[in-house]
Amino acid sequence: MRRSTAPSRIPVLPLSLGLGLLLLLSLVCGVGLGAAEVGWADVPRFLWAGLTGGTVSAGDAAAYTIVWEIRLPRVLLGAVVGAGLAAVGVAVQAMVRNALADPFVLGISSGAAVGANAVILLGAFAGLGVWALSVSAFASALAAMALVYAVARSPRGLTPLRLILTGTALAYGFEALTTVMVFGAARGEAARSAMMWLLGSLGGATWAQVPIAAATVAAGWFWLRWRAETLNALAMGDETSAALGVPPSRLRRELFLVTAAVTGTVVAVSGAIGFVGLMVPHVVRMVVGADHRRVLAVAPFAGAVLLVWADVLSRLLLAPAELPVGVITAVVGVPAFILLMRRGGYAFGGG
């Protein structure tokens, strides 16, 4: 693992606090901005009424519903999903020791897409009502996880190459199945909804989804922080990891289960939002170094801020229509990522 050539690193604590404050500001802006105009002076009043159980006048009822029932759960879910994708991106890149890896390299998101599109296009699990999409996507993500694990496992455990090849190969298979369902859809609007989900969208966010996603992401992040030292060892290679007393196969198996559970959960509530899990870990390493204790302390905040603002742009650029948020993360992220990488001195696992 190459050492950084950077002369200094930004301290983690003030950086995390600064990003935390920026996230709070971003959440307020995310609630205030949208196709339907809501006065900035009314936003804190409506939020306070919602938090305290207060009342609003009949004339403000529509604006209050937009702020409290539609936009607030949406921006909160966006922050949770962004944080989860960033944290899992850090773990996956360490797990497979590949700079191009992201949370979707394991094929979990493609598997979730099969279940989601079965609901959107075929009406599967209709008896579950509003939970049909999330439950189906999560169940198919777990099934995809089990299949990837069964195929990738070998007598030597889960090796990085087998994980990447298996996840990539099965992802193509899942995508082909999804494509067949989309092209066979009888209704054009259903196909449009399916494509919107495949590219990522927070438009269906509800209050019921927020605590489930937040609890899963928080549990996954705490576990990764607890195992940050072992991630440092794993990133240096299996031989070095074993020499340091960290069994690489067992750790990789644990990482696979944790990352798959978090990825399946966030994909189930937001669709397949790409690029966050790829870009954010690299950018954070450039700022704080390669130590996973430092990276995992900062990356979730950065991912949350990025996705909140990406969702705001997705709502505003073609208002009143919406763009898939995954389009925004790609359009904004690709040039930013290339620019940062070309500044020199950066290598995965190093400076």
Side-chain angles (χ1 to χ4, degrees):
M1 185 170 60
R2 204 168 68 180
R3 288 186 176 274
S4 170
T5 57
S8 61
R9 297 294 184 190
I10 298 176
V12 169
L13 182 58
L15 180 60
S16 297
L17 291 175
L19 285 172
L21 291 174
L22 179 59
L23 176 58
L24 289 176
L25 177 62
S26 300
L27 292 174
V28 174
C29 292
V31 170
L33 294 170
E37 185 174 348
V38 177
W40 284 104
D42 294 328
V43 171
R45 183 163 59 88
F46 293 154
L47 292 177
W48 181 252
L51 289 171
T52 60
T55 60
V56 296
S57 65
D60 290 332
Y64 171 79
T65 300
I66 291 173
V67 168
W68 185 256
E69 298 293 340
I70 299 176
R71 290 184 185 172
L72 184 58
R74 178 170 183 156
V75 297
L76 289 175
L77 191 64
V80 169
V81 170
L85 290 175
V88 171
V90 175
V92 171
Q93 288 171 10
M95 177 171 61
V96 301
R97 299 203 311 275
N98 190 312
L100 296 178
D102 70 358
F104 301 145
V105 75
L106 302 178
I108 308 301
S109 66
S110 300
V114 174
N117 281 281
V119 174
I120 296 171
L121 302 173
L122 307 178
F125 303 104
L128 296 176
V130 295
W131 289 97
L133 181 61
S134 296
V135 170
S136 180
F138 184 69
S140 59
L142 291 181
M145 176 192 75
L147 184 58
V148 170
Y149 179 83
V151 176
R153 190 181 181 189
S154 70
R156 295 189 301 166
L158 291 176
T159 63
L161 181 59
R162 287 180 68 92
L163 267 175
I164 292 175
L165 292 178
T166 302
T168 301
L170 290 179
Y172 278 115
F174 296 142
E175 289 169 4
L177 183 57
T178 300
T179 301
V180 169
M181 287 193 288
V182 171
F183 274 89
R187 296 174 295 155
E189 185 59 32
R192 182 182 180 279
S193 298
M195 292 305 299
M196 190 79 169
W197 191 92
L198 288 171
L199 293 172
S201 173
L202 295 167
T206 64
W207 275 114
Q209 294 174 331
V210 175
I212 298 174
T216 304
V217 169
W221 177 75
F222 277 116
W223 189 89
L224 291 173
R225 283 277 292 165
W226 174 57
R227 301 288 275 165
E229 283 280 12
T230 60
L231 290 179
N232 289 336
L234 188 64
M236 292 188 287
D238 285 12
E239 292 183 1
T240 302
S241 176
L244 294 173
V246 179
S249 295
R250 187 176 72 181
L251 177 58
R252 196 168 281 119
R253 183 167 58 249
E254 294 172 359
L255 284 169
F256 178 79
L257 293 174
V258 172
T259 56
V262 175
T263 302
T265 300
V266 299
V267 168
V269 298
S270 67
I273 301 174
F275 215 77
V276 177
L278 172 65
M279 178 180 69
V280 172
H282 287 290
V283 174
V284 172
R285 286 192 196 96
M286 293 178 188
V287 177
V288 303
D291 188 337
H292 285 87
R293 293 170 299 181
R294 298 166 60 86
V295 175
L296 285 168
V298 175
F301 291 106
V305 171
L306 172 63
L307 198 55
V308 167
W309 281 106
D311 181 56
V312 169
L313 289 176
S314 76
R315 287 183 271 148
L316 293 178
L317 288 180
L318 295 180
E322 286 189 15
L323 283 171
V325 69
V327 171
I328 303 298
T329 58
V331 169
V332 173
V334 169
F337 185 63
I338 292 175
L339 178 63
L340 288 168
M341 291 291 285
R342 288 183 61 84
R343 293 181 65 180
Y346 177 77
F348 172 66

